[in-house]
Amino acid sequence: MSVTGGRFSLSDNRFSAGLGVLVGLCTLANLLRVDSVSTEGAISLSRSYAQFANYALAAFVYVPTFTFCATGALGPLDAAIWVTRTNRITALSHALARLTARTVVFSALLTTCCLMSVRLSSSVAFAAGDYLKYGLLSTTLQTFYFLVVGLVVLVVRLITRSGAYAALAAFGYGALDYLLCMTSALNNTALWTGWLLVVATPEDGLVAEGIGALRLASACVILGLLAAYLVRRRDYLPEEGESREF
């Protein structure tokens, strides 16, 4: 049986269910926020968007949802059936490609839902071009962020062989910036590691957003290289003829 073949599975039942949960949660957030957004009269698209995509929602809603639905793409890497290094790296490449594709879909859907919530609830009318430009920027930054989350799951799973520890590590990473916002260290941008690098505001400018994207991309590269190292060193001899998944 070949598990590193050419079949590219973008979706599975868990991923589809997770996307449905995401839409439902975004709808609920819209219902809960509609009055406050309308009365506040948000003066910018970024501030309106932040009502539905702030660090608290990222830590307690979006990261757990993503971890549930998207990291299933990494499951085959936990099957104890590869015994050559070539097959291991090929399997890792396929898994990362599936994870990246799912991350893009998840991020694009989240951005779409949040922008629709802004359109429905905000008392300020924004141009279609503004929605498009801000949507592309947010989707790009969120893709890097959620890819870091997925790679954290992979690395911790390879180290501990525990899906529970991997999920807890992802939740911990998602909560770092939330906890940072409770301290005076919030103003130190060098300490930002997650969602605070994602939030796009006109006041920051594209340079600041580019730096945030670069930092998240660097984290992806480092975690990806670490995952490759761990996969090459891991013993994949069969255990009682059964394969295990994340």
mmCIF file of all heavy atoms in Angstrom, residues 7-20 69-70 72-73 97-99 101-102 105:
data_model
loop_
_atom_site.group_PDB
_atom_site.id
_atom_site.type_symbol
_atom_site.label_atom_id
_atom_site.label_comp_id
_atom_site.label_asym_id
_atom_site.label_seq_id
_atom_site.Cartn_x
_atom_site.Cartn_y
_atom_site.Cartn_z
ATOM 1 N N ARG A 7 -2.317 11.090 -4.893
ATOM 2 C CA ARG A 7 -3.650 11.573 -4.544
ATOM 3 C C ARG A 7 -3.546 12.786 -3.625
ATOM 4 O O ARG A 7 -2.927 12.746 -2.572
ATOM 5 C CB ARG A 7 -4.427 10.463 -3.836
ATOM 6 C CG ARG A 7 -5.845 10.894 -3.486
ATOM 7 C CD ARG A 7 -6.573 9.783 -2.765
ATOM 8 N NE ARG A 7 -7.912 10.198 -2.378
ATOM 9 C CZ ARG A 7 -8.734 9.451 -1.642
ATOM 10 N NH1 ARG A 7 -8.347 8.255 -1.247
ATOM 11 N NH2 ARG A 7 -9.919 9.889 -1.323
ATOM 12 N N PHE A 8 -4.174 13.877 -4.046
ATOM 13 C CA PHE A 8 -4.135 15.125 -3.281
ATOM 14 C C PHE A 8 -5.522 15.371 -2.722
ATOM 15 O O PHE A 8 -6.439 15.734 -3.449
ATOM 16 C CB PHE A 8 -3.704 16.288 -4.163
ATOM 17 C CG PHE A 8 -3.537 17.575 -3.416
ATOM 18 C CD1 PHE A 8 -2.321 17.922 -2.867
ATOM 19 C CD2 PHE A 8 -4.602 18.440 -3.259
ATOM 20 C CE1 PHE A 8 -2.167 19.113 -2.182
ATOM 21 C CE2 PHE A 8 -4.452 19.630 -2.568
ATOM 22 C CZ PHE A 8 -3.227 19.956 -2.034
ATOM 23 N N SER A 9 -5.687 15.127 -1.444
ATOM 24 C CA SER A 9 -6.990 15.256 -0.808
ATOM 25 C C SER A 9 -7.078 16.590 -0.093
ATOM 26 O O SER A 9 -6.431 16.790 0.942
ATOM 27 C CB SER A 9 -7.209 14.104 0.187
ATOM 28 O OG SER A 9 -8.444 14.249 0.842
ATOM 29 N N LEU A 10 -7.817 17.514 -0.684
ATOM 30 C CA LEU A 10 -7.965 18.827 -0.059
ATOM 31 C C LEU A 10 -8.908 18.770 1.127
ATOM 32 O O LEU A 10 -8.712 19.446 2.121
ATOM 33 C CB LEU A 10 -8.471 19.844 -1.085
ATOM 34 C CG LEU A 10 -8.853 21.234 -0.541
ATOM 35 C CD1 LEU A 10 -7.636 21.898 0.088
ATOM 36 C CD2 LEU A 10 -9.419 22.109 -1.646
ATOM 37 N N SER A 11 -9.946 17.957 1.024
ATOM 38 C CA SER A 11 -10.991 17.984 2.034
ATOM 39 C C SER A 11 -11.293 16.593 2.557
ATOM 40 O O SER A 11 -11.022 15.585 1.909
ATOM 41 C CB SER A 11 -12.268 18.609 1.448
ATOM 42 O OG SER A 11 -13.298 18.658 2.408
ATOM 43 N N ASP A 12 -11.821 16.541 3.758
ATOM 44 C CA ASP A 12 -12.373 15.325 4.322
ATOM 45 C C ASP A 12 -13.579 15.736 5.160
ATOM 46 O O ASP A 12 -13.921 16.922 5.242
ATOM 47 C CB ASP A 12 -11.332 14.556 5.145
ATOM 48 C CG ASP A 12 -10.685 15.413 6.227
ATOM 49 O OD1 ASP A 12 -11.358 16.324 6.755
ATOM 50 O OD2 ASP A 12 -9.508 15.192 6.540
ATOM 51 N N ASN A 13 -14.230 14.777 5.778
ATOM 52 C CA ASN A 13 -15.448 15.092 6.529
ATOM 53 C C ASN A 13 -15.179 16.051 7.679
ATOM 54 O O ASN A 13 -15.972 16.956 7.958
ATOM 55 C CB ASN A 13 -16.084 13.803 7.052
ATOM 56 C CG ASN A 13 -16.650 12.944 5.947
ATOM 57 O OD1 ASN A 13 -16.984 13.442 4.876
ATOM 58 N ND2 ASN A 13 -16.755 11.645 6.175
ATOM 59 N N ARG A 14 -14.041 15.853 8.351
ATOM 60 C CA ARG A 14 -13.734 16.719 9.486
ATOM 61 C C ARG A 14 -13.451 18.144 9.026
ATOM 62 O O ARG A 14 -13.862 19.115 9.676
ATOM 63 C CB ARG A 14 -12.530 16.163 10.257
ATOM 64 C CG ARG A 14 -12.283 16.897 11.559
ATOM 65 C CD ARG A 14 -11.359 16.139 12.472
ATOM 66 N NE ARG A 14 -9.980 16.120 11.989
ATOM 67 C CZ ARG A 14 -8.961 15.668 12.713
ATOM 68 N NH1 ARG A 14 -9.184 15.165 13.911
ATOM 69 N NH2 ARG A 14 -7.740 15.691 12.214
ATOM 70 N N PHE A 15 -12.745 18.292 7.922
ATOM 71 C CA PHE A 15 -12.458 19.626 7.397
ATOM 72 C C PHE A 15 -13.741 20.325 6.969
ATOM 73 O O PHE A 15 -13.955 21.505 7.283
ATOM 74 C CB PHE A 15 -11.487 19.520 6.223
ATOM 75 C CG PHE A 15 -11.080 20.854 5.654
ATOM 76 C CD1 PHE A 15 -10.408 21.782 6.432
ATOM 77 C CD2 PHE A 15 -11.361 21.178 4.335
ATOM 78 C CE1 PHE A 15 -10.022 23.015 5.917
ATOM 79 C CE2 PHE A 15 -10.970 22.399 3.809
ATOM 80 C CZ PHE A 15 -10.308 23.322 4.603
ATOM 81 N N SER A 16 -14.603 19.605 6.263
ATOM 82 C CA SER A 16 -15.877 20.188 5.828
ATOM 83 C C SER A 16 -16.724 20.593 7.027
ATOM 84 O O SER A 16 -17.336 21.670 7.050
ATOM 85 C CB SER A 16 -16.636 19.190 4.954
ATOM 86 O OG SER A 16 -15.890 18.854 3.799
ATOM 87 N N ALA A 17 -16.749 19.731 8.048
ATOM 88 C CA ALA A 17 -17.511 20.052 9.252
ATOM 89 C C ALA A 17 -16.923 21.273 9.956
ATOM 90 O O ALA A 17 -17.664 22.133 10.449
ATOM 91 C CB ALA A 17 -17.520 18.851 10.191
ATOM 92 N N GLY A 18 -15.595 21.367 9.986
ATOM 93 C CA GLY A 18 -14.951 22.508 10.624
ATOM 94 C C GLY A 18 -15.269 23.816 9.925
ATOM 95 O O GLY A 18 -15.474 24.849 10.580
ATOM 96 N N LEU A 19 -15.319 23.787 8.588
ATOM 97 C CA LEU A 19 -15.685 24.993 7.850
ATOM 98 C C LEU A 19 -17.122 25.401 8.158
ATOM 99 O O LEU A 19 -17.432 26.591 8.275
ATOM 100 C CB LEU A 19 -15.511 24.764 6.349
ATOM 101 C CG LEU A 19 -14.079 24.536 5.851
ATOM 102 C CD1 LEU A 19 -14.063 24.372 4.330
ATOM 103 C CD2 LEU A 19 -13.154 25.675 6.267
ATOM 104 N N GLY A 20 -17.999 24.402 8.293
ATOM 105 C CA GLY A 20 -19.376 24.700 8.666
ATOM 106 C C GLY A 20 -19.467 25.312 10.051
ATOM 107 O O GLY A 20 -20.238 26.260 10.281
ATOM 108 N N CYS A 69 -10.156 21.065 12.363
ATOM 109 C CA CYS A 69 -10.558 20.695 10.999
ATOM 110 C C CYS A 69 -9.417 20.559 10.007
ATOM 111 O O CYS A 69 -9.478 19.726 9.099
ATOM 112 C CB CYS A 69 -11.593 21.691 10.466
ATOM 113 S SG CYS A 69 -10.945 23.309 10.018
ATOM 114 N N ALA A 70 -8.355 21.342 10.151
ATOM 115 C CA ALA A 70 -7.342 21.387 9.099
ATOM 116 C C ALA A 70 -6.161 20.456 9.332
ATOM 117 O O ALA A 70 -5.551 19.979 8.375
ATOM 118 C CB ALA A 70 -6.842 22.815 8.919
ATOM 119 N N GLY A 72 -6.023 17.533 10.172
ATOM 120 C CA GLY A 72 -6.225 16.162 9.724
ATOM 121 C C GLY A 72 -5.395 15.842 8.496
ATOM 122 O O GLY A 72 -5.119 14.675 8.201
ATOM 123 N N ALA A 73 -4.974 16.896 7.781
ATOM 124 C CA ALA A 73 -4.113 16.700 6.610
ATOM 125 C C ALA A 73 -2.773 16.095 6.998
ATOM 126 O O ALA A 73 -2.077 15.506 6.164
ATOM 127 C CB ALA A 73 -3.889 18.036 5.901
ATOM 128 N N ALA A 97 1.701 20.227 1.761
ATOM 129 C CA ALA A 97 0.931 20.802 0.653
ATOM 130 C C ALA A 97 -0.563 20.772 0.973
ATOM 131 O O ALA A 97 -1.283 21.753 0.728
ATOM 132 C CB ALA A 97 1.211 20.035 -0.637
ATOM 133 N N ARG A 98 -1.033 19.664 1.531
ATOM 134 C CA ARG A 98 -2.449 19.576 1.911
ATOM 135 C C ARG A 98 -2.770 20.571 3.019
ATOM 136 O O ARG A 98 -3.822 21.226 3.000
ATOM 137 C CB ARG A 98 -2.785 18.147 2.361
ATOM 138 C CG ARG A 98 -2.806 17.118 1.244
ATOM 139 C CD ARG A 98 -3.430 15.816 1.712
ATOM 140 N NE ARG A 98 -2.612 15.176 2.742
ATOM 141 C CZ ARG A 98 -1.657 14.295 2.490
ATOM 142 N NH1 ARG A 98 -1.358 13.980 1.242
ATOM 143 N NH2 ARG A 98 -0.983 13.744 3.474
ATOM 144 N N LEU A 99 -1.871 20.678 3.999
ATOM 145 C CA LEU A 99 -2.096 21.618 5.094
ATOM 146 C C LEU A 99 -2.156 23.049 4.580
ATOM 147 O O LEU A 99 -3.028 23.832 4.981
ATOM 148 C CB LEU A 99 -0.988 21.484 6.140
ATOM 149 C CG LEU A 99 -1.049 22.489 7.295
ATOM 150 C CD1 LEU A 99 -2.303 22.275 8.130
ATOM 151 C CD2 LEU A 99 0.206 22.385 8.172
ATOM 152 N N ALA A 101 -2.962 24.115 1.556
ATOM 153 C CA ALA A 101 -4.194 24.320 0.796
ATOM 154 C C ALA A 101 -5.384 24.525 1.725
ATOM 155 O O ALA A 101 -6.214 25.411 1.523
ATOM 156 C CB ALA A 101 -4.438 23.127 -0.127
ATOM 157 N N ARG A 102 -5.458 23.707 2.766
ATOM 158 C CA ARG A 102 -6.571 23.851 3.717
ATOM 159 C C ARG A 102 -6.470 25.165 4.484
ATOM 160 O O ARG A 102 -7.493 25.792 4.794
ATOM 161 C CB ARG A 102 -6.568 22.673 4.692
ATOM 162 C CG ARG A 102 -6.860 21.335 4.033
ATOM 163 C CD ARG A 102 -6.981 20.226 5.040
ATOM 164 N NE ARG A 102 -7.161 18.928 4.382
ATOM 165 C CZ ARG A 102 -7.631 17.854 4.979
ATOM 166 N NH1 ARG A 102 -7.968 17.908 6.251
ATOM 167 N NH2 ARG A 102 -7.756 16.718 4.328
ATOM 168 N N VAL A 105 -7.844 27.956 2.286
ATOM 169 C CA VAL A 105 -9.304 27.897 2.234
ATOM 170 C C VAL A 105 -9.906 28.409 3.538
ATOM 171 O O VAL A 105 -10.857 29.212 3.540
ATOM 172 C CB VAL A 105 -9.773 26.446 1.954
ATOM 173 C CG1 VAL A 105 -11.289 26.339 2.087
ATOM 174 C CG2 VAL A 105 -9.334 26.015 0.557
#
